[in-house]
Amino acid sequence: FPSVKGNDAHRRQALRSSEQEKALANLPEEHRDIFQFMMMTGLRHGEVVAILVESVNIDRRYVWVERRRSGSKERPGSKNNEVMPVPLNDTALAIVMKHTKNKFPKDYLFINPSTRRPYTQWFISNLWRKHSGTDLTSYEATRHSFCSNLKADIRTAQRLMRHRDQRSTDNYFHAYMEDLVQVVQQMDNVKNLKEHNESITKIGGDY
């Protein structure tokens, strides 16, 4: 058989919201906030660890993604070298309000309670792998799952994911198989209903 080649060596997966909640419950309580924040905003690991308190606007419910951490270095802007605001839902806003309390504008939003220093991408990924109870990576469980769980059209999803190209958003979307089964099942439902109606019509015509 011919070999099948692709540009993605790893098949990405996503978690439903209920599965995310179960995984969060498995994590040490003191570290849950940063994971839940990523799940609610779709931020990349390198972006969330670099957020400063001054980048948050609580009144207007958004956070500016103004920098990212790559390895041990911080760089301006997002992965696409853009500075964009990310909206905050109630859960994300509550987390922000909790972590901005008694901090200065130049302080990091998220501080690792274990080290009293800012989180690192390595720490986040390793903690998730050890405690989440899932086979998915922390990136799949947060950013990928955020995109898959959005109830929005593709253009809105693209904006929330901050992708320049819609094709990038398509790569992040993961349709759940049971949902796809329900979609194709509708064809059978229509066919069965039509046959049922035809049967009733035939019986009625026999009288």
Side-chain angles (χ1 to χ4, degrees):
F1 293 96
S3 60
V4 179
K5 297 181 179 181
N7 58 5
D8 191 355
H10 176 68
R11 289 186 178 182
R12 296 289 186 179
Q13 301 179 67
L15 294 178
R16 288 185 179 275
S17 297
S18 58
E19 295 172 323
Q20 287 179 318
E21 291 176 3
K22 291 179 181 179
L24 279 172
N26 292 332
L27 302 179
E29 186 174 359
E30 65 271 22
H31 296 298
R32 291 175 190 169
D33 284 352
I34 192 169
F35 287 95
Q36 190 168 31
F37 189 78
M38 288 189 289
M39 291 174 177
M40 295 294 108
T41 60
L43 288 181
R44 302 174 177 92
H45 291 26
E47 295 169 342
V48 74
V49 300
I51 298 175
L52 301 182
V53 170
E54 67 180 5
S55 298
V56 176
N57 189 317
I58 292 178
D59 293 334
R60 299 187 66 180
R61 299 174 65 119
Y62 64 77
V63 57
W64 283 101
V65 180
E66 300 177 295
R67 61 186 55 79
R68 69 190 187 281
R69 188 174 300 155
S70 179
S72 59
K73 296 181 180 180
E74 286 197 5
R75 305 181 186 280
S78 67
K79 181 180 178 182
N80 295 326
N81 296 316
E82 297 175 334
V83 176
M84 298 183 68
V86 173
L88 305 174
N89 62 16
D90 289 346
T91 299
L93 182 64
I95 293 173
V96 162
M97 294 178 69
K98 173 183 174 181
H99 287 270
T100 53
K101 189 177 296 184
N102 300 322
K103 286 184 178 178
F104 295 104
K106 294 296 184 181
D107 287 343
Y108 286 95
L109 180 63
F110 291 105
I111 297 295
N112 186 338
S114 301
T115 63
R116 304 308 306 167
R117 296 176 62 82
Y119 279 94
T120 65
Q121 300 97 302
W122 177 87
F123 184 92
I124 290 173
S125 298
N126 194 47
L127 186 78
W128 179 267
R129 184 171 60 254
K130 285 185 176 180
H131 298 285
S132 69
T134 75
D135 294 329
L136 275 67
T137 66
S138 55
Y139 198 77
E140 291 172 317
T142 55
R143 186 165 170 79
H144 277 263
S145 298
F146 171 79
C147 189
S148 291
N149 291 326
L150 283 174
K151 306 298 182 184
D153 60 84
I154 189 65
R155 293 296 295 273
T156 302
Q158 180 183 348
R159 167 59 185 86
L160 290 171
M161 292 294 287
R162 294 167 289 122
H163 287 147
R164 290 179 179 174
D165 193 322
Q166 183 177 308
R167 288 173 295 183
S168 296
T169 308
D170 291 336
N171 290 335
Y172 274 73
F173 179 78
H174 306 273
Y176 298 105
M177 185 53 61
E178 52 266 40
D179 292 338
L180 296 178
V181 169
Q182 291 182 18
V183 171
V184 297
Q185 179 60 33
Q186 291 177 13
M187 293 189 298
D188 249 355
N189 294 343
V190 171
K191 174 176 173 289
N192 292 337
L193 179 61
K194 181 180 179 181
E195 292 175 349
H196 177 69
N197 290 338
E198 289 176 349
S199 177
I200 293 177
T201 301
K202 181 178 180 181
I203 293 174
D206 291 339
Y207 284 100

